[in-house]
Amino acid sequence: MQLVKAEYPTPDHVLVHVSDPHFVAEGLLYGEMDPQLGLVEVLDSIEASGIGPEAIIFSGDLTDKGSAEAYRKLRTLGDAYAKRMGTQIIWAMGNHDERGNFRSVLLEEEPRPEPVDRRYDLGGLRVLVLDSSVPGHHHGGVTEEQLGWLADELQTTADDGTLLVIHHPPVPPVQDLAVLSELRDQEALAQVLEGSDVIGILSGHTHCTVFSTFAKIPVSVASATSYTQDLALSPAAMQGRDGARSFNLVRIHNRTFVTAVVPVGAYAAFGKRITAEETRRRLRAAVEMPETETKPTGGTLSGRR
């Protein structure tokens, strides 16, 4: 309930966006780290937050080698968290994924080799998942047939707008070597999206958080739950890290797309904690107080006085 007059309404939709778990069937990822531990750390944080998202969107590279057993491990883990949180999971293909096993294990469909493009309806919000994987390669691409499917879907508008999920982000890379694996022929995709009701694009692939625009649409790239890229280096250098994980919180306010990075991990607390009950109390007090008396009298949102 919104107690005070605000510039924007309370959100119509709240989602969580994660990416690149890179699950393996057995052993360690590249012989160095267990990617399941990273995803558990992120999902534990989401569950403990009480956010209660309508959906958790995974934007690709769900497994590292595309094995059926890796997908089964991922689905078992994801389903357990989704059930406890009362939410659903939306899966997208990445360049490390394999379409046949993806389909059979995660979607319970025949293991066909065609691109895995899907539509999901979350109330008035439409989510379109576009498969940008190119089998046998790490760069991304979208076929004419896929663009036709996307254009057909976008001929009608959704009440609360549309989110496009595509693994390869249609934005300039922030690391020099990433040009080898970027999304190719982006102009054709831009032509389909321009003037549509797409209010936001969710991507992964980079193993770091990136924000940009494409065809005048906000783009939000989630970092990886497996390993992350260290950007405190020369753009010509690359170094993965087993840490610095996060998830992206997505809120839709009357077709206004808002996303925020939520780091996970333990840190020293600062200031007095403001509970949800205290927030409601303060908002009720602001409604009851005359406008001339609601000006701040000092203190910060951390609760310190």
Side-chain angles (χ1 to χ4, degrees):
M1 171 183 284
Q2 189 146 329
L3 299 174
V4 297
K5 183 179 179 181
E7 297 295 328
Y8 298 93
T10 53
D12 302 301
H13 303 277
V14 178
L15 313 169
V16 164
H17 174 204
V18 298
S19 200
D20 293 78
H22 282 264
F23 264 42
V24 292
E26 58 184 16
L28 302 177
L29 180 62
Y30 310 142
E32 295 186 44
M33 52 90 71
D34 183 354
Q36 181 167 315
L37 297 179
L39 181 58
V40 166
E41 181 184 26
V42 170
L43 292 176
D44 278 348
S45 180
I46 296 168
E47 184 176 19
S49 72
I51 292 171
E54 289 177 68
I56 301 175
I57 299 176
F58 282 75
S59 55
D61 278 0
L62 309 178
T63 67
D64 193 63
K65 301 295 184 183
S67 74
E69 180 57 31
Y71 284 115
R72 281 191 283 269
K73 286 175 59 177
L74 176 62
R75 179 172 178 179
T76 298
L77 181 68
D79 283 354
Y81 278 91
K83 183 178 181 179
R84 290 199 301 269
M85 287 188 272
T87 188
Q88 65 175 297
I89 295 179
I90 295 176
W91 308 105
M93 281 279 301
N95 51 287
H96 280 263
D97 288 306
E98 198 279 325
R99 290 171 177 170
N101 289 332
F102 180 105
R103 270 197 168 92
S104 62
V105 178
L106 299 182
L107 304 182
E108 298 181 357
E109 297 178 354
E110 290 298 319
R112 301 187 311 277
E114 293 86 3
V116 186
D117 303 323
R118 287 292 181 277
R119 168 179 174 161
Y120 299 86
D121 292 298
L122 303 176
L125 179 68
R126 175 171 55 193
V127 179
L128 298 179
V129 177
L130 192 64
D131 182 354
S132 59
S133 68
V134 179
H137 301 275
H138 288 300
H139 68 265
V142 181
T143 67
E144 291 185 9
E145 291 77 12
Q146 289 181 277
L147 292 175
W149 171 82
L150 181 62
D152 288 344
E153 288 286 345
L154 295 175
Q155 281 186 351
T156 59
T157 60
D159 290 343
D160 298 333
T162 296
L163 291 180
L164 176 66
V165 183
I166 180 170
H167 179 67
H168 295 80
V171 301
V174 296
Q175 294 177 298
D176 294 350
L177 195 58
V179 299
L180 299 179
S181 60
E182 63 185 345
L183 180 67
R184 298 183 181 176
D185 301 321
Q186 296 181 16
E187 182 57 34
L189 177 62
Q191 291 177 4
V192 173
L193 295 179
E194 287 173 351
S196 72
D197 74 337
V198 176
I199 59 175
I201 300 172
L202 305 182
S203 297
H205 190 53
T206 62
H207 289 244
C208 60
T209 305
V210 178
F211 298 107
S212 188
T213 59
F214 178 73
K216 300 180 180 179
I217 301 168
V219 178
S220 176
V221 183
S223 188
T225 67
S226 53
Y227 66 92
T228 64
Q229 287 291 338
D230 185 357
L231 298 186
L233 301 171
S234 161
M238 295 185 77
Q239 178 63 64
R241 298 176 296 180
D242 184 1
R245 296 178 179 87
S246 62
F247 64 89
N248 286 8
L249 173 64
V250 178
R251 290 160 60 101
I252 310 296
H253 300 252
N254 192 23
R255 287 188 171 225
T256 297
F257 172 80
V258 179
T259 184
V261 180
V262 185
V264 301
Y267 305 95
F270 173 78
K272 180 181 178 182
R273 181 185 180 91
I274 299 177
T275 65
E277 292 76 11
E278 173 63 11
T279 293
R280 288 191 287 269
R281 186 195 69 78
R282 293 191 187 188
L283 291 175
R284 283 195 298 268
V287 171
E288 297 165 358
M289 189 181 302
E291 185 174 350
T292 56
E293 299 180 20
T294 59
K295 294 181 180 179
T297 58
T300 70
L301 290 180
S302 73
R304 291 181 67 88
R305 297 293 184 186

